[in-house]
Amino acid sequence: MEDHAPHASRRNVLRGALLGATALGLVSAAAPLAAARPDWRAGDVDYPGARWAPASDENFTASSRPDAYPIDFVVIHVTQETFKDTIDIFQNPAKQVSAHYVVRSADGLVGQCVRERDIGWHAGNWNYNTRSVGIEHEGWVDKPEYFTDALYRSSAALTASLCDRYGLPVDRQHIIGHNEVPGATHTDPGRHWDWARYLRLVKASRLR
């Protein structure tokens, strides 16, 4: 993830993340939601089953996509943070960063932070921000243990839904990594992200 307000300079938005996070931030699938995210809020979501955890209004641009801008890409990110801290960052108006979705490692739970019609500040490129949906995945690029089967399957089902709703082909020209955005300085999702597996799961999800 990174700061990309329309006129803001790039900076490391992850500095100052909460120091009180647990060492790994992984939550058992059996754990109650309240323990994992105590302030889920009521609200409509675009993806059935997602939990609404809205980003600060200061961290995205209100829009009317796909009328205002076509949605041409899904951008895959890795948070470099825990699931909880990522949502806390998006809800902090000083951070100037957000993505539409965050997927939890332990059980694949999907949090929605920005409506798809609005422009998340996630890609580090304003043109790509306007034309993409950003999906953050809990974990670190050098810790492949975070890329669980639950995370892959849940994220793939979400991406399949996005491709269906916006008419996107399931290919690497339309489902891209943050590192592939022009001008990107980030390396996520990194060398441990299994693209072949991910696209197979996206295609399989579309057949259901």
Side-chain angles (χ1 to χ4, degrees):
M1 79 178 74
E2 72 182 272
D3 170 7
H4 196 73
H7 304 292
S9 61
R10 300 169 88 114
R11 60 188 178 271
N12 183 354
V13 300
L14 299 183
R15 285 198 301 265
L18 299 179
L19 298 177
T22 57
L24 289 178
L26 295 176
V27 180
S28 166
L33 271 178
R37 179 72 253 157
D39 58 350
W40 292 114
R41 305 178 196 179
D44 293 334
V45 293
D46 296 304
Y47 180 65
R51 300 290 176 130
W52 182 234
S56 166
D57 290 346
E58 301 299 318
N59 291 343
F60 66 90
T61 300
S63 187
S64 58
R65 303 188 311 167
D67 294 331
Y69 301 93
I71 294 178
D72 297 326
F73 305 102
V74 176
V75 181
I76 301 299
H77 300 263
V78 172
T79 61
Q80 299 297 106
E81 282 291 346
T82 65
F83 179 88
K84 179 183 183 301
D85 282 1
T86 298
I87 291 177
D88 287 339
I89 288 168
F90 292 169
Q91 293 179 340
N92 181 341
K95 294 300 185 179
Q96 299 286 282
V97 64
S98 64
H100 297 87
Y101 294 100
V102 187
V103 182
R104 193 161 67 188
S105 174
D107 56 5
L109 186 143
V110 175
Q112 182 169 2
C113 302
V114 177
R115 294 298 301 269
E116 292 171 15
R117 67 184 179 227
D118 296 327
I119 301 166
W121 298 348
H122 61 93
N125 176 313
W126 181 242
N127 180 44
Y128 273 69
N129 278 343
T130 63
R131 298 189 294 128
S132 66
V133 172
I135 305 177
E136 290 278 2
H137 297 82
E138 180 183 25
W140 283 261
V141 296
D142 58 351
K143 296 181 179 180
E145 61 269 26
Y146 274 87
F147 302 155
T148 62
D149 185 62
L151 178 142
Y152 272 119
R153 290 183 181 278
S154 178
S155 176
L158 170 58
T159 293
S161 175
L162 293 168
C163 289
D164 285 341
R165 286 185 282 120
Y166 297 109
L168 304 181
V170 178
D171 60 32
R172 292 284 283 107
Q173 287 70 53
H174 297 85
I175 305 170
I176 64 174
H178 188 179
N179 62 308
E180 296 170 305
V181 173
T185 59
H186 287 215
T187 63
D188 58 307
R191 64 187 179 89
H192 295 296
W193 184 261
D194 191 337
W195 279 111
R197 177 186 181 188
Y198 189 67
L199 262 64
R200 283 197 304 270
L201 288 170
V202 174
K203 291 174 182 177
S205 294
R206 296 188 79 181
L207 296 174
R208 294 174 185 168

